[in-house]
Protein backbone atom coordinates (compact mmCIF):
# COMPACT_ATOMS: atom_id res chain seq x y z
CA UNK A 1 0.00 0.00 0.00
CA UNK A 2 1.44 3.35 -1.05
CA UNK A 3 0.05 6.84 -0.91
CA UNK A 4 0.94 10.40 -1.86
CA UNK A 5 0.17 13.30 0.44
CA UNK A 6 0.30 16.84 -0.93
CA UNK A 7 0.66 20.10 0.94
CA UNK A 8 1.47 23.74 0.31
CA UNK A 9 -1.57 25.05 -1.50
CA UNK A 10 -3.19 28.33 -0.57
CA UNK A 11 -4.37 31.70 -1.77
CA UNK A 12 -1.94 34.35 -3.02
CA UNK A 13 -1.93 37.55 -5.05
CA UNK A 14 -0.66 37.60 -8.64
CA UNK A 15 3.11 37.74 -8.87
CA UNK A 16 3.64 35.91 -5.59
CA UNK A 17 4.94 32.37 -5.01
CA UNK A 18 3.81 29.05 -3.60
CA UNK A 19 5.71 25.82 -3.05
CA UNK A 20 3.87 22.52 -3.22
CA UNK A 21 5.15 19.31 -1.68
CA UNK A 22 4.12 15.71 -2.26
CA UNK A 23 5.48 12.92 -0.07
CA UNK A 24 5.19 9.23 -0.90
CA UNK A 25 4.88 6.66 1.85
CA UNK A 26 4.29 2.95 2.19
CA UNK A 27 5.96 -0.07 0.67
CA UNK A 28 8.37 1.59 -1.77
CA UNK A 29 11.35 0.02 -3.50
CA UNK A 30 11.97 2.97 -5.76
CA UNK A 31 10.13 5.73 -7.60
CA UNK A 32 10.29 6.46 -11.29
CA UNK A 33 8.82 9.56 -12.86
CA UNK A 34 7.14 12.01 -10.51
CA UNK A 35 4.78 14.62 -11.87
CA UNK A 36 2.46 17.50 -11.10
CA UNK A 37 -0.86 17.94 -12.87
CA UNK A 38 -3.52 20.58 -12.42
CA UNK A 39 -7.20 20.92 -13.08
CA UNK A 40 -8.93 24.26 -13.25
CA UNK A 41 -12.73 24.54 -12.81
CA UNK A 42 -14.46 23.29 -15.94
CA UNK A 43 -11.20 22.24 -17.55
CA UNK A 44 -9.45 18.94 -18.18
CA UNK A 45 -6.56 17.85 -16.02
CA UNK A 46 -3.27 18.85 -17.62
CA UNK A 47 0.38 18.03 -17.05
CA UNK A 48 2.31 20.86 -15.42
CA UNK A 49 5.75 19.29 -15.03
CA UNK A 50 7.46 15.96 -14.51
CA UNK A 51 10.85 14.76 -13.37
CA UNK A 52 12.44 11.39 -14.06
CA UNK A 53 14.63 9.55 -11.58
CA UNK A 54 17.58 10.72 -13.70
CA UNK A 55 16.68 14.31 -12.87
CA UNK A 56 15.48 15.11 -16.37
CA UNK A 57 12.55 17.53 -16.32
CA UNK A 58 9.73 18.54 -18.62
CA UNK A 59 7.40 21.54 -18.34
CA UNK A 60 4.19 22.74 -19.90
CA UNK A 61 4.81 25.79 -22.08
CA UNK A 62 2.50 27.88 -19.90
CA UNK A 63 4.74 27.47 -16.84
CA UNK A 64 8.23 27.38 -18.33
CA UNK A 65 10.52 29.87 -16.62
CA UNK A 66 8.11 30.33 -13.70
CA UNK A 67 7.75 26.86 -12.14
CA UNK A 68 10.49 24.49 -11.01
CA UNK A 69 10.04 20.81 -10.22
CA UNK A 70 12.54 19.02 -7.97
CA UNK A 71 12.67 15.76 -6.08
CA UNK A 72 14.34 14.36 -2.99
CA UNK A 73 14.79 10.63 -3.30
CA UNK A 74 15.95 10.32 0.32
CA UNK A 75 12.51 11.41 1.51
CA UNK A 76 10.49 10.27 -1.54
CA UNK A 77 9.21 13.81 -2.00
CA UNK A 78 8.55 15.89 -5.10
CA UNK A 79 8.26 19.68 -4.99
CA UNK A 80 6.80 22.32 -7.27
CA UNK A 81 8.11 25.85 -6.76
CA UNK A 82 5.65 28.23 -8.40
CA UNK A 83 6.85 31.79 -8.93
CA UNK A 84 5.32 34.78 -10.70
CA UNK A 85 1.89 33.25 -10.27
CA UNK A 86 -0.96 34.34 -12.51
CA UNK A 87 -4.74 34.08 -12.02
CA UNK A 88 -4.81 31.43 -14.74
CA UNK A 89 -2.63 29.21 -12.53
CA UNK A 90 -5.59 28.80 -10.20
CA UNK A 91 -6.38 25.09 -10.02
CA UNK A 92 -6.32 21.96 -7.93
CA UNK A 93 -2.80 20.56 -8.21
CA UNK A 94 -2.26 16.80 -8.11
CA UNK A 95 0.96 14.85 -7.87
CA UNK A 96 1.43 11.49 -9.53
CA UNK A 97 4.21 8.97 -9.18
CA UNK A 98 5.12 5.62 -10.67
CA UNK A 99 6.19 3.56 -7.69
CA UNK A 100 7.84 0.16 -7.66
CA UNK A 101 6.43 -1.81 -4.75
CA UNK A 102 8.03 -5.20 -5.49
CA UNK A 103 10.52 -6.57 -8.01
CA UNK A 104 7.62 -7.13 -10.39
CA UNK A 105 5.05 -4.46 -9.59
CA UNK A 106 4.91 -0.79 -10.53
CA UNK A 107 1.85 1.19 -9.53
CA UNK A 108 0.66 4.60 -10.63
CA UNK A 109 -0.40 6.60 -7.61
CA UNK A 110 -2.21 9.96 -7.41
CA UNK A 111 -2.39 12.37 -4.53
CA UNK A 112 -5.63 13.83 -3.25
CA UNK A 113 -4.99 17.30 -4.67
CA UNK A 114 -4.23 20.69 -3.17
CA UNK A 115 -5.89 23.96 -4.20
CA UNK A 116 -3.85 26.96 -5.32
CA UNK A 117 -5.78 30.18 -5.84
CA UNK A 118 -4.23 33.26 -7.44
CA UNK A 119 -6.39 36.34 -7.14
CA UNK A 120 -6.12 40.04 -6.47
Amino acid sequence: QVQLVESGGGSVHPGRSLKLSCAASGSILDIGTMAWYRQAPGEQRELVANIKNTGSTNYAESVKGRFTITRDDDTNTVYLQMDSLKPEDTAVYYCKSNIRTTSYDVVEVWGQGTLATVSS
Side-chain angles (χ1 to χ4, degrees):
Q1 190 84 356
V2 294
Q3 64 175 348
L4 300 175
V5 178
E6 297 136 341
S7 60
S11 182
V12 296
H13 292 303
R16 302 303 292 269
S17 299
L18 282 173
K19 186 173 185 177
L20 308 182
S21 301
C22 173
S25 63
S27 180
I28 299 170
L29 287 187
D30 61 63
I31 302 177
T33 300
M34 307 181 84
W36 286 97
Y37 287 74
R38 68 185 180 186
Q39 187 166 19
E43 301 290 332
Q44 290 189 331
R45 192 172 298 187
E46 63 174 357
L47 175 68
V48 176
N50 61 28
I51 181 167
K52 297 182 179 180
N53 53 10
T54 59
S56 175
T57 59
N58 177 55
Y59 294 92
E61 284 296 325
S62 60
V63 307
K64 278 184 180 178
R66 300 188 298 121
F67 291 10
T68 304
I69 188 170
T70 57
R71 60 189 287 166
D72 182 343
D73 290 331
D74 290 333
T75 60
N76 295 325
T77 302
V78 62
Y79 301 95
L80 186 68
Q81 177 67 44
M82 305 188 294
D83 298 321
S84 302
L85 283 161
K86 304 176 181 180
E88 51 263 43
D89 295 317
T90 295
V92 177
Y93 285 74
Y94 300 88
C95 65
K96 186 190 80 169
S97 294
N98 296 329
I99 299 175
R100 180 174 298 281
T101 56
T102 72
S103 297
Y104 306 102
D105 299 313
V106 176
V107 295
E108 181 181 278
V109 185
W110 287 86
Q112 81 285 358
T114 185
L115 176 63
T117 302
V118 185
S119 173
S120 54

